[in-house]
Amino acid sequence: MESLDTIKEKIINLQDEIKKYSYYYYSKNESLVSDVEFDKKLKELEELENKYPEFKAENSPTITIGSSLKDTKFRKITHKRPMLSLTNSYNIHDVIDFSERINKLLNYKNDKLCYALELKLDGASISLQYEDGKLITGVTRGDGIEGEDVTENIYAIKSIPKILKEKITMEVRGEIIFPKSKFIKLNEKRLAEGEDVFANPRNAASGTLRQIDAQVVAERELDAYFYFLVDAKKFNIETHSESISYLEKLGFQTTGVCELLTSMNDMEKRILYWENAREALDYETDGMVIKLDNMNLWEEIGYTTKSPRWAIAYKFQAKQISTVLMGITWQVGRTGKITPVAELEEVELSGSKIKRASLHNTDEILRKDIKIGDRVFIEKAAEIIPQVVSPIKELRNGSESVIDAPINCPSCGQVLEREEGLVDLKCVNPICPAIIQGTIEYFVSRDAMNISGLGSKIVEKFLKLGYIKDVTDIYNLKNHREELVELDKMGEKSITNLLEAIENSKKRSYSKTLYALGIQYVGKFVANLLAKKSKNIDNLAQMSVEELLTIDEVGNKIASSVYEFFNTEKSLIIVEKLKKIGINFSYAGFEINEENYSEENETNKHKEDDIFIGKKFLFTGKMTRFKREDIKDIVESLGGENLSGVSKKLDYLIVGDDAGSKLEKARALGTVTILSEEEFINLCGDKIKI
Ligand code: IVH
């Protein structure tokens, strides 16, 4: 026989457990346990509470979530046509690949295909059946094969037509959404009533749609937009855009956004436009949907098991996701700045796995009240570097620990300093190994001297062995060839490659070599600007702060920093040595577009490079607009890579006049996108100025 205390404890534990599951289910759309398991726990709690009503709390989940979760036993209906999903893409390149795939599937017989660009609504998808113009059923997507019959709730949504303007039998698909303007009010009400809040309008839409009480649906004022007419061809419609107009004519609400585009350049522009403009809409969008407009071609192009090949989703970067903060690593940057880096339980955010995130500085940790062990929200800042946004304090259980700022440099042990009025902790030891290592890693990085083969482990080793003391010693490594070959895992081949990369780096463009010097506030784009204006490093070194300030986009911070650099003995010695070594410090010809550059935030610019990142390029034939070396530089500056021959790895072959066997070979592979020089320039868009 269990004691009353044990029973009470059991009830409290069950209540807490179920509340947690329900929180995840409603707020994060995440099931921590299966439905069966959940129901079992809820039933167990219900039985115990019935037997021992004295332990039944007022806010027990048997009361608060009883109606919404336990009873979601809607009738299941099999879709007449499966509700497919869409392949996701995350950059314009994927969209270009998608259109290329379509061209290929159609044997390149269609000249200029037309694509419809639509908003991707972030709500709950729905399929409606009309018979003789009357609304008969409304079914959720479910698993795509069968969904839940939510007809009654659909009737409670005002903007959905119950009777169509024409007496036709048809099926239409769209999205039930929760208006952003009503979302905050809903959560306020739920909080006041002791219920869990919805994490976002999508959860609110799907949660509301599954309400048993249609009255609640009516009160919450859900809305709906439609984007797909099933079997449109039976209404003699040939294009998707016409089908949307027809839906509007029948009385359906659409977003009004169905833009017809034939060029991928325009496609990119419009996607970028909507990525900003969507903020003003009263519904959430998580991307764009691109559909081939001509429906007569759909069958020929076909389907994968899950999605059509004639449509693709372009997903905007996901905003936030939650994960556990396991610990903090204090990183020493090349400037001596100490940055706390969050070590996270691995999660996926818009296509990439994330284990670490930036926390900027100790003040930010305090301000956000973040503790080790917290579940935290993370997001991608400027859409590249993940950052910790905030802890979820409601989920704390007392085991979380406070984060203490370090007193000493984690690398050299010197006591850290904090400049007056500045929030950053700094190591000011000029021979701090972490600072030297950071400077060298920055110097050899892809955007700077692009010396591959000098990763952080190797740099560390070379520093320890005394082969390198500063960046200039990299160019003496060739004198240690024999010793290097002997080093573990560094065979003959990799040393040859490394030494070759080091020699090649001497020819890097002036903007890259200037960037490599690591002058504070001189990122890629400022380096370009300075290179173009100064023409060579001697001129730049002579410039006064006033002269520097006359350069467009150069503000006080940059001007002072550049001036200080060239008036410091230590940097002048390095520059002189590099000049003697033969590093190029003269401007050649083209520049990366510096539009939109903000002095405060260089990372703004980097996100735009994404379209080239990791892609492999090769040029063949005579180029008319660029010198070969310059065009290769453009590729590298934008994050791409130049290959020397056609292989399966190649993404783009840019073809000039009198192209030969490389073109044939690339065509035969079938996986390479072939572009003319003009098309390549288009691909660069406004990233370059010629
Ligand atoms: S078309 C066969 N168009 O996205 C293609 N879907 O990831 C049918 N969605 O399940 C879908 N906005 O819930 C289409 N303009 C739009 C959309 C859209 C949102 C949703 C829909 C679908 C999911 C696919």
Side-chain angles (χ1 to χ4, degrees):
M1 185 60 190
E2 281 175 301
S3 77
L4 275 182
D5 275 351
T6 321
I7 288 161
K8 185 176 173 188
E9 200 183 321
K10 205 167 172 181
I11 289 181
I12 292 174
N13 285 343
L14 269 172
Q15 285 175 345
D16 287 348
E17 208 177 336
I18 294 169
K19 269 190 212 160
K20 184 165 126 190
Y21 297 153
S22 131
Y23 171 79
Y24 274 86
Y25 185 87
Y26 278 112
S27 306
K28 304 203 192 319
N29 236 4
E30 211 180 291
S31 299
L32 296 184
V33 287
S34 68
D35 288 356
V36 179
E37 230 171 306
F38 182 88
D39 286 345
K40 216 172 101 193
K41 297 244 184 236
L42 200 62
K43 196 151 174 256
E44 190 184 344
L45 178 61
E46 231 166 23
E47 280 168 5
L48 278 172
E49 285 180 344
N50 286 344
K51 224 161 145 188
Y52 303 95
E54 65 271 35
F55 300 139
K56 182 167 176 168
E58 254 174 45
N59 63 351
S60 165
T62 52
I63 302 168
T64 55
I65 62 165
S67 61
S68 51
L69 257 192
K70 204 173 45 156
D71 302 326
T72 43
K73 298 284 172 264
F74 291 100
R75 184 169 68 110
K76 293 269 160 66
I77 292 188
T78 303
H79 296 294
K80 286 211 174 90
R81 293 280 164 90
M83 280 182 85
L84 297 177
S85 57
L86 294 168
T87 307
N88 285 332
S89 67
Y90 298 93
N91 55 56
I92 189 68
H93 248 60
D94 294 343
V95 181
I96 296 172
D97 288 352
F98 151 80
S99 72
E100 273 305 310
R101 260 194 316 273
I102 290 185
N103 277 330
K104 207 170 148 210
L105 285 163
L106 296 173
N107 287 322
Y108 301 94
K109 65 174 185 255
N110 298 75
D111 244 11
K112 268 216 175 324
L113 291 171
C114 187
Y115 292 92
L117 178 70
E118 295 176 344
L119 295 167
K120 186 171 187 310
L121 296 152
D122 196 12
S125 46
I126 192 81
S127 189
L128 307 181
Q129 287 282 344
Y130 288 81
E131 274 172 30
D132 296 326
K134 274 198 278 214
L135 174 61
I136 303 298
T137 50
V139 187
T140 63
R141 181 173 184 276
D143 60 5
I145 305 295
E146 61 174 15
E148 293 157 309
D149 176 2
V150 288
T151 312
E152 262 196 69
N153 289 346
I154 291 297
Y155 266 97
I157 300 174
K158 263 202 222 132
S159 65
I160 293 184
K162 316 302 175 297
I163 305 219
L164 300 180
K165 301 243 168 76
E166 291 176 26
K167 273 190 157 188
I168 52 165
T169 296
M170 52 94 83
E171 183 174 347
V172 63
R173 290 175 180 175
E175 205 84 353
I176 307 294
I177 61 99
F178 202 99
K180 289 200 271 191
S181 55
K182 305 211 162 90
F183 177 68
I184 297 171
K185 279 186 213 121
L186 169 73
N187 269 349
E188 277 170 3
K189 188 163 165 265
R190 283 177 76 84
L191 260 182
E193 288 167 4
E195 289 180 274
D196 288 328
V197 293
F198 287 118
N200 51 48
R202 171 169 40 89
N203 288 350
S206 66
T208 307
L209 199 59
R210 288 185 183 78
Q211 277 287 324
I212 281 297
D213 187 353
Q215 184 56 37
V216 176
V217 183
E219 278 164 16
R220 286 196 195 157
E221 295 177 276
L222 286 179
D223 209 346
Y225 293 86
F226 292 85
Y227 44 66
F228 194 66
L229 172 59
V230 180
D231 286 334
K233 280 169 98 178
K234 77 178 188 203
F235 303 103
N236 291 326
I237 293 172
E238 307 231 339
T239 63
H240 172 70
S241 47
E242 279 172 61
S243 77
I244 295 293
S245 307
Y246 184 50
L247 288 180
E248 287 166 358
K249 210 169 113 200
L250 290 171
F252 291 100
Q253 179 167 254
T254 70
T255 63
V257 180
C258 182
E259 301 182 7
L260 294 179
L261 301 164
T262 49
S263 107
M264 286 296 135
N265 214 7
D266 292 343
M267 182 69 76
E268 187 183 16
K269 283 190 186 133
R270 295 308 296 163
I271 290 174
L272 284 177
Y273 168 81
W274 280 112
E275 186 154 16
N276 289 318
R278 69 188 174 127
E279 298 299 335
L281 304 170
D282 197 23
Y283 42 79
E284 292 273 358
T285 52
D286 59 343
M288 306 296 292
V289 179
I290 298 135
K291 297 170 185 165
L292 182 68
D293 198 37
N294 185 346
M295 296 193 300
N296 293 322
L297 300 171
W298 285 5
E299 286 313 307
E300 196 175 335
I301 294 165
Y303 300 79
T304 68
T305 44
K306 282 192 268 164
S307 47
R309 286 201 171 92
W310 41 261
I312 195 167
Y314 176 101
K315 297 272 284 206
F316 298 135
Q317 297 283 338
K319 287 173 200 151
Q320 292 186 357
I321 196 165
S322 81
T323 183
V324 179
L325 174 68
M326 324 258 280
I328 298 285
T329 301
W330 298 92
Q331 236 173 33
V332 190
R334 67 185 171 86
T335 58
K337 182 182 156 190
I338 310 290
T339 311
V341 175
E343 304 290 345
L344 306 164
E345 201 175 273
E346 189 172 282
V347 272
E348 208 173 304
L349 183 59
S350 46
S352 52
K353 293 211 165 82
I354 291 169
K355 276 205 294 208
R356 310 183 93 196
S358 170
L359 271 163
H360 296 294
N361 52 50
T362 44
D363 281 29
E364 184 169 283
I365 296 177
L366 279 179
R367 191 163 40 80
K368 292 183 174 167
D369 185 18
I370 295 168
K371 293 181 175 174
I372 292 169
D374 268 340
R375 182 163 273 274
V376 292
F377 280 117
I378 56 164
E379 71 176 6
K380 285 195 181 171
E383 286 156 20
I384 308 185
I385 315 145
Q387 310 219 343
V388 176
V389 182
S390 61
I392 310 175
K393 293 188 196 164
E394 297 78 9
L395 290 182
R396 282 186 180 158
N397 60 16
S399 68
E400 298 76 18
S401 55
V402 173
I403 301 167
D404 291 319
I407 308 284
N408 302 91
C409 171
S411 172
C412 67
Q414 177 146 324
V415 175
L416 297 174
E417 290 186 9
R418 194 189 274 253
E419 281 172 52
E420 269 293 308
L422 293 178
V423 287
D424 294 329
L425 281 172
K426 258 189 133 175
C427 172
V428 292
N429 176 6
I431 52 162
C432 170
I435 297 179
I436 296 173
Q437 166 130 12
T439 308
I440 293 170
E441 282 177 23
Y442 183 85
F443 184 83
V444 301
S445 65
R446 196 184 56 192
D447 288 337
M449 303 308 277
N450 193 25
I451 303 176
S452 55
L454 265 187
S456 67
K457 287 263 151 55
I458 303 213
V459 172
E460 201 180 330
K461 202 182 274 177
F462 287 1
L463 278 168
K464 269 201 191 122
L465 290 168
Y467 292 159
I468 303 180
K469 287 184 206 69
D470 64 46
V471 294
T472 62
D473 294 327
I474 293 171
Y475 296 91
N476 290 328
L477 279 174
K478 56 182 178 219
N479 303 331
H480 297 282
R481 194 189 168 97
E482 302 312 315
E483 294 110 294
L484 296 180
V485 174
E486 291 306 309
L487 283 179
D488 35 312
K489 287 195 201 141
M490 287 220 59
E492 184 81 41
K493 179 102 179 78
S494 57
I495 293 301
T496 306
N497 289 345
L498 172 62
L499 295 178
E500 212 176 282
I502 292 173
E503 279 313 296
N504 285 340
S505 75
K506 293 180 182 172
K507 294 183 293 213
R508 295 287 281 169
S509 70
Y510 174 34
S511 67
K512 305 284 177 5
T513 55
L514 185 55
Y515 168 79
L517 295 178
I519 307 169
Q520 204 178 9
Y521 307 123
V522 180
K524 273 200 289 185
F525 294 89
V526 176
N528 239 299
L529 221 62
L530 296 176
K532 197 180 162 204
K533 297 285 171 190
S534 65
K535 304 286 186 258
N536 66 50
I537 202 159
D538 292 335
N539 292 340
L540 185 63
Q542 303 288 314
M543 285 169 103
S544 64
V545 171
E546 289 70 30
E547 279 171 309
L548 286 162
L549 280 171
T550 61
I551 303 174
D552 261 359
E553 317 262 358
V554 171
N556 277 322
K557 248 166 51 175
I558 297 172
S560 317
S561 168
V562 173
Y563 180 81
E564 202 180 305
F565 180 88
F566 286 109
N567 286 278
T568 307
E569 200 188 342
K570 195 177 142 215
S571 7
L572 286 178
I573 293 174
I574 299 274
V575 171
E576 278 313 310
K577 275 195 193 170
L578 289 173
K579 271 163 66 182
K580 277 217 182 83
I581 287 164
I583 308 292
N584 169 43
F585 282 119
S586 302
Y587 184 67
F590 78 93
E591 59 169 324
I592 297 293
N593 193 4
E594 65 273 0
E595 252 168 52
N596 305 331
Y597 170 72
S598 108
E599 191 177 322
E600 289 305 314
N601 189 2
E602 270 257 317
T603 52
N604 275 346
K605 213 51 208 177
H606 293 242
K607 70 174 180 194
E608 290 179 31
D609 301 353
D610 264 10
I611 124 168
F612 275 71
I613 281 179
K615 297 286 178 195
K616 315 271 189 304
F617 290 77
L618 178 65
F619 298 86
T620 183
K622 250 190 246 127
M623 299 291 145
T624 51
R625 302 278 299 267
F626 295 106
K627 277 196 244 135
R628 185 64 65 86
E629 279 316 304
D630 288 349
I631 203 165
K632 282 185 173 175
D633 248 3
I634 294 178
V635 167
E636 278 180 19
S637 316
L638 297 174
E641 222 180 282
N642 292 298
L643 292 192
S644 53
V646 177
S647 75
K648 275 196 194 132
K649 282 194 275 175
L650 186 66
D651 296 296
Y652 289 95
L653 180 72
I654 320 298
V655 183
D657 294 342
D658 307 322
S661 63
K662 283 184 179 145
L663 176 58
E664 296 308 315
K665 220 168 147 189
R667 277 208 183 113
L669 274 175
T671 51
V672 180
T673 304
I674 297 166
L675 299 177
S676 66
E677 196 179 357
E678 266 330 292
E679 282 169 322
F680 172 76
I681 295 171
N682 286 342
L683 190 70
C684 296
D686 54 8
K687 288 175 183 45
I688 57 164
K689 271 188 192 164
I690 307 157

